[in-house]
Amino acid sequence: CLMVVDKAGAPQDLNTVLTNGDNNGSNGQTTFNKIRMDENNFKIALKCLDYQDKTLLTKSVSGSVALQLRLLNSLGYKCVPIDYDEFIKIQAQNDRSKYIQRKIKEAIGSSSNSDHQTNIFTNNKTTENNI
């Protein structure tokens, strides 16, 4: 899922950040839906992780998912993995929204993408034990 949020984690209207078709003079192609970014906005990629996305023994992300997250990070996205098992335990819709908002704020508050990616998977195990 693609989102653009501000520094406070509030979702931004995609109409305000997507271009409407820029003509690239060097190769004659037109680029549609390119995201205009500045220091006040962050590109967010939400990734729901199910049992198929984790290893059986350690519950860490599988190689293919880790590659997806690294590629998204390299494209400038802040990756927000959502653990399905953890998410489904939350009954109230409002609480689910708060859970996702908290995860997004954690992602944009991190000092670096790689440190954050490592911390999320460690924190997921701790959170699962606390639920």
Side-chain angles (χ1 to χ4, degrees):
C1 160
L2 167 67
M3 290 181 70
V4 176
V5 299
D6 64 12
K7 287 184 178 180
Q12 302 298 297
D13 183 2
L14 288 180
N15 290 326
T16 63
V17 294
L18 289 177
T19 63
N20 203 10
D22 295 333
N23 190 5
N24 187 345
S26 63
N27 62 11
Q29 295 181 346
T30 301
T31 304
F32 290 97
N33 294 335
K34 186 174 180 181
I35 299 174
R36 270 184 253 119
M37 297 302 296
D38 59 27
E39 66 278 353
N40 296 318
N41 293 322
F42 298 96
K43 294 188 293 185
I44 300 292
L46 294 175
K47 175 74 174 164
C48 184
L49 300 176
D50 201 357
Y51 68 94
Q52 299 155 334
D53 301 318
K54 301 178 208 169
T55 61
L56 290 174
L57 295 177
T58 63
K59 302 296 184 197
S60 60
V61 294
S62 66
S64 61
V65 173
L67 175 61
Q68 289 173 4
L69 296 174
R70 281 195 307 271
L71 290 172
L72 285 166
N73 279 332
S74 70
L75 291 172
Y77 287 88
K78 300 279 187 171
C79 294
V80 181
I82 304 293
D83 188 282
Y84 178 79
D85 294 331
E86 190 176 313
F87 183 77
I88 201 69
K89 291 178 186 176
I90 304 170
Q91 298 297 319
Q93 189 71 22
N94 192 29
D95 291 341
R96 286 182 176 185
S97 295
K98 288 179 183 177
Y99 171 80
I100 292 174
Q101 288 172 350
R102 180 176 51 84
K103 290 288 196 176
I104 290 171
K105 287 180 182 178
E106 288 174 3
I108 63 176
S110 68
S111 59
S112 72
N113 290 337
S114 60
D115 290 343
H116 175 67
Q117 189 175 357
T118 304
N119 290 338
I120 277 184
F121 303 121
T122 309
N123 291 340
N124 277 348
K125 287 185 181 181
T126 306
T127 307
E128 285 178 14
N129 293 337
N130 293 337
I131 294 182

CSV table of all heavy atoms in Angstrom, one decimal, residues 20-21 27 43 46 56 71 101:
chain,number,residue,atom,x,y,z
A,20,ASN,N,1.1,15.1,-12.7
A,20,ASN,CA,0.1,14.8,-13.7
A,20,ASN,C,0.6,14.5,-15.0
A,20,ASN,O,-0.1,14.7,-16.0
A,20,ASN,CB,-0.9,15.9,-13.7
A,20,ASN,CG,-2.3,15.5,-14.2
A,20,ASN,OD1,-2.5,14.3,-14.3
A,20,ASN,ND2,-3.1,16.4,-14.5
A,21,GLY,N,1.8,14.1,-15.2
A,21,GLY,CA,2.4,13.7,-16.5
A,21,GLY,C,3.4,14.7,-16.9
A,21,GLY,O,3.1,15.7,-17.5
A,27,ASN,N,14.4,11.7,-23.3
A,27,ASN,CA,14.1,10.4,-24.0
A,27,ASN,C,12.7,10.5,-24.6
A,27,ASN,O,12.2,9.5,-25.2
A,27,ASN,CB,14.2,9.2,-23.1
A,27,ASN,CG,13.3,9.2,-21.9
A,27,ASN,OD1,12.4,10.1,-21.9
A,27,ASN,ND2,13.5,8.4,-21.0
A,43,LYS,N,7.4,8.9,2.1
A,43,LYS,CA,6.7,7.8,1.3
A,43,LYS,C,6.6,6.6,2.3
A,43,LYS,O,7.7,6.2,2.8
A,43,LYS,CB,7.4,7.4,0.1
A,43,LYS,CG,7.4,8.5,-1.0
A,43,LYS,CD,8.0,8.1,-2.3
A,43,LYS,CE,9.4,7.8,-2.2
A,43,LYS,NZ,10.0,7.4,-3.6
A,46,LEU,N,3.2,0.1,3.4
A,46,LEU,CA,2.7,-0.9,4.4
A,46,LEU,C,2.8,-2.3,3.8
A,46,LEU,O,2.4,-2.5,2.7
A,46,LEU,CB,1.2,-0.6,4.7
A,46,LEU,CG,0.9,0.8,5.4
A,46,LEU,CD1,-0.6,1.0,5.5
A,46,LEU,CD2,1.5,0.8,6.7
A,56,LEU,N,9.8,-20.5,9.9
A,56,LEU,CA,9.0,-21.3,10.8
A,56,LEU,C,9.6,-21.2,12.2
A,56,LEU,O,8.9,-21.1,13.2
A,56,LEU,CB,8.9,-22.7,10.4
A,56,LEU,CG,8.0,-23.0,9.2
A,56,LEU,CD1,8.1,-24.4,8.8
A,56,LEU,CD2,6.6,-22.6,9.5
A,71,LEU,N,14.5,-3.3,-1.1
A,71,LEU,CA,14.3,-2.6,-2.4
A,71,LEU,C,13.4,-1.3,-2.2
A,71,LEU,O,13.7,-0.3,-2.7
A,71,LEU,CB,13.7,-3.5,-3.4
A,71,LEU,CG,14.6,-4.6,-4.0
A,71,LEU,CD1,13.9,-5.6,-4.8
A,71,LEU,CD2,15.8,-4.0,-4.7
A,101,GLN,N,-1.4,3.7,12.9
A,101,GLN,CA,-0.8,5.0,13.0
A,101,GLN,C,0.4,5.0,13.9
A,101,GLN,O,1.4,5.7,13.6
A,101,GLN,CB,-1.8,5.9,13.7
A,101,GLN,CG,-3.0,6.3,12.7
A,101,GLN,CD,-4.1,7.1,13.4
A,101,GLN,OE1,-4.1,7.2,14.6
A,101,GLN,NE2,-5.0,7.6,12.6
